[in-house]
Amino acid sequence: MTIDWKHETALRQDDFITDLKDLLAVESVRDDSKATPEAPLGPGPKDALLKMLAIAERDGFTTKNIDNLVGYIEIGPKDADEYVAILSHVDVMPAGEGWETDPFVPVVTDDKIIARGASDDKGPGMAAYYAFKILSDLKVPLKRRVRLIFGTDEENDWTGMTRYFEVEPAPVFGFSPDAEFPIINGEKGNVQVLIKDEATNGGSVKLVAFEAGLRTNMVPGIARATVVTAQAEAMVAAFQDFLAANPQISGSAESDGDDIKFVVNGKQVHGAMPETGENAGTYLANFLQNFDFGGTAKSFLTYLGTPAHQDTIGEKFGVNYTDDVMGPLSMNVGIQKFVAGQEAFINFNFRYPKGITPDEIVAGLATQLNGWDVTPTIGGHAQVPHYVAPTDPIVETLLRVYHDQTGLPAHDQVIGGGTYGRLMARGVAFGALFPDSPDTMHQVNEFALLDDLYRSIAIYAQAIAEITNLD
């Protein structure tokens, strides 16, 4: 049957925007402080999952909710043994500061929709859902079942999708609409490395508190520190000179007697592309390290402010490895925290190619401690590099569909970002950013271009129809 996928998408654009706005309005940030047996990750992720499944049930689809952690929508022949999976997520990153509009009150302009999750990943996920609607409405014949699966913890530990693969059979192949076109058939490994110590002082200047970063996979856009010094006036003046010498950042220093509160504003971006941001925390540490701190405060600030500062490839730690296929390693210093009398904490996030191991990365971080008596350790859920050959039929088919619909060059590529696509042996990421699309994932004022979302619906509908029927 011949289908005009773009025309079918145009018929459903208004409904798509209505449903997307409803989903974006749910503040689906993981909050362990509000976790309950019914909402294991807090109320937001659960509510977003229930909202998505309710939309599908309204439209007559078969759905399943697994422990309020993950759920799916299914189409295709119920007696088919195999199924294809489309993996998305309804959780979002914390909004952060500096938004021009309420991040959970979606704003639709002539060309974009603005809200946290618009591009990562509620917009693309809803685009995949409307592709399902087109296939269902037109009764497109499918050889296999297809599941559109929504996780609730992609931005943290992948709890929901891990649960899914524990209790459900694996798909034969599939894709995640959570990256960019033309396709992502390779993803670097992903590992967190932690440094922890008791937070002590000992010099004439005291570090009371230092904080930067909301998540390990975000470049900190704001850093704050509280310092006590008898030379407050001179320290504030030095900070103004530091800001003038670094116009790529901004900040403030407010003194009250011997107390100074520092703020640095950098540029918050996705942790997979730290080179595009400005890490507010390492800038602040770079300034503070020059003063008479002692104890672990001195080690903490020196480590952040020298080897970890302005190095997004791990060069100063000797781990700046590059693979011919997967490209270079990247390094983000995501969370930085010091509370006097409690804990000093640094969280690194590395995206690494084939050819280097997490143990080698940890060893590299240990080379620059300069007497700081701590041991870097691996934390979180480490992920090994993932790669699907360009000759795999799923890669070839998705690239052909993309080229047929857009007329743009279609080629395979590897990224530092991690998507659910890597959970499948023959899994890839496919859209929804186009090569010329602005990327605002994990940034303030996140948005998605409406035309990009509409184009994605049409591409996904044709792509699902074709890969589901592959031999």
Side-chain angles (χ1 to χ4, degrees):
M1 58 191 303
T2 301
I3 299 172
D4 185 338
W5 303 104
K6 295 178 182 179
H7 174 71
E8 294 296 334
T9 296
L11 296 176
R12 296 164 175 82
Q13 286 180 6
D14 290 345
D15 291 342
F16 168 77
I17 292 298
T18 297
D19 285 340
L20 179 55
K21 288 174 64 178
D22 286 347
L23 185 61
L24 290 168
V26 182
E27 189 172 349
S28 50
V29 178
R30 175 174 173 168
D31 186 349
D32 291 342
S33 70
K34 297 179 181 178
T36 66
E38 294 75 29
L41 304 171
K46 181 201 76 171
D47 290 347
L49 177 63
L50 295 180
K51 171 66 71 175
M52 191 67 241
L53 295 179
I55 289 170
E57 290 161 3
R58 174 202 68 193
D59 294 334
F61 288 105
T62 298
T63 68
K64 184 175 181 179
N65 180 349
I66 302 172
D67 304 329
N68 285 334
L69 285 171
V70 62
Y72 67 80
I73 302 159
E74 185 174 277
I75 59 175
K78 296 186 181 301
D79 60 348
D81 293 332
E82 296 180 333
Y83 75 95
V84 172
I86 316 301
L87 308 181
S88 183
H89 65 93
V90 293
D91 62 303
V92 297
M93 296 296 288
E97 302 177 47
W99 283 70
E100 296 174 3
T101 60
D102 187 321
F104 297 103
V105 177
V107 174
V108 180
T109 68
D110 289 341
D111 65 339
K112 68 186 68 167
I113 184 165
I114 306 165
R116 176 56 94 214
S119 63
D120 184 20
D121 188 40
K122 293 179 179 179
M126 189 64 74
Y129 173 71
Y130 266 76
F132 262 46
K133 281 179 63 69
I134 291 173
L135 296 172
S136 178
D137 292 347
L138 300 183
K139 297 181 173 54
V140 175
L142 303 174
K143 181 189 298 184
R144 298 180 177 91
R145 291 175 290 136
V146 191
R147 287 184 179 178
L148 176 53
I149 309 169
F150 289 97
T152 57
D153 191 30
E154 194 274 345
E155 301 293 4
N156 292 277
D157 298 326
W158 294 23
T159 307
M161 206 60 75
T162 299
R163 179 62 176 157
Y164 177 87
F165 281 93
E166 290 173 348
V167 300
E168 295 288 334
V172 289
F173 46 66
F175 68 81
S176 176
D178 190 19
E180 57 197 66
F181 292 118
I183 203 169
I184 304 298
N185 61 306
E187 298 183 13
K188 296 175 186 177
N190 190 328
V191 66
Q192 297 179 46
V193 182
L194 315 178
I195 294 178
K196 299 179 182 181
D197 200 3
E198 182 181 356
T200 64
N201 280 279
S204 62
V205 183
K206 179 181 179 181
L207 182 62
V208 177
F210 185 107
E211 184 172 9
L214 297 170
R215 290 285 192 274
T216 183
N217 56 348
M218 297 172 71
V219 172
I222 297 178
R224 294 183 173 87
T226 302
V227 169
V228 176
T229 175
Q231 304 295 322
E233 184 176 345
M235 199 169 183
V236 169
F239 185 64
Q240 298 305 319
D241 291 341
F242 178 78
L243 292 177
N246 292 277
Q248 64 273 32
I249 61 170
S250 62
S252 63
E254 297 182 0
S255 61
D256 182 5
D258 291 346
D259 294 350
I260 310 174
K261 294 188 182 301
F262 292 96
V263 177
V264 168
N265 300 293
K267 181 181 179 183
Q268 176 181 298
V269 298
H270 197 299
M273 296 167 287
E275 70 280 0
T276 66
E278 299 290 349
N279 195 313
T282 67
Y283 273 102
L284 182 53
N286 181 256
F287 167 74
L288 293 175
Q289 69 176 343
N290 298 302
F291 295 87
D292 185 31
F293 291 93
T296 60
K298 181 67 173 179
S299 299
F300 173 86
L301 293 170
T302 301
Y303 196 75
L304 279 176
T306 299
H309 180 52
Q310 290 187 313
D311 182 359
T312 60
I313 59 173
E315 183 175 11
K316 298 173 190 174
F317 298 109
V319 297
N320 52 317
Y321 183 83
T322 298
D323 175 74
D324 290 342
V325 174
M326 303 199 82
L329 171 148
S330 69
M331 180 185 84
N332 177 47
V333 195
I335 302 175
Q336 308 149 41
K337 190 172 184 179
F338 183 102
V339 179
Q342 299 183 33
E343 185 179 57
F345 177 82
I346 303 173
N347 178 302
F348 289 86
N349 179 226
F350 288 88
R351 314 296 173 106
Y352 66 97
K354 298 179 298 179
I356 189 170
T357 68
D359 287 343
E360 290 172 319
I361 293 170
V362 169
L365 290 185
T367 64
Q368 300 298 314
L369 292 169
N370 294 319
W372 189 12
D373 187 19
V374 292
T375 302
T377 58
I378 294 174
H381 66 302
Q383 300 170 335
V384 299
H386 171 76
Y387 190 71
V388 180
T391 55
D392 190 297
I394 186 173
V395 176
E396 293 179 334
T397 302
L398 293 178
L399 286 175
R400 178 177 50 76
V401 170
Y402 169 80
H403 176 72
D404 287 349
Q405 287 216 21
T406 66
L408 297 172
H411 56 84
D412 59 292
Q413 57 185 334
V414 176
I415 61 167
T419 75
Y420 284 152
R422 71 193 307 146
L423 291 171
M424 300 172 284
R426 297 173 64 193
V428 299
F430 190 51
L433 287 177
F434 288 84
D436 59 349
S437 301
D439 182 358
T440 58
M441 292 184 183
H442 296 195
Q443 299 182 34
V444 299
N445 303 315
E446 178 184 349
F447 68 86
L449 296 176
L450 297 178
D451 283 345
D452 284 358
L453 292 174
Y454 301 150
R455 286 197 290 173
S456 296
I457 295 172
I459 291 171
Y460 290 153
Q462 182 181 351
I464 294 169
E466 296 207 18
I467 65 172
T468 305
N469 291 317
L470 283 174
D471 292 330

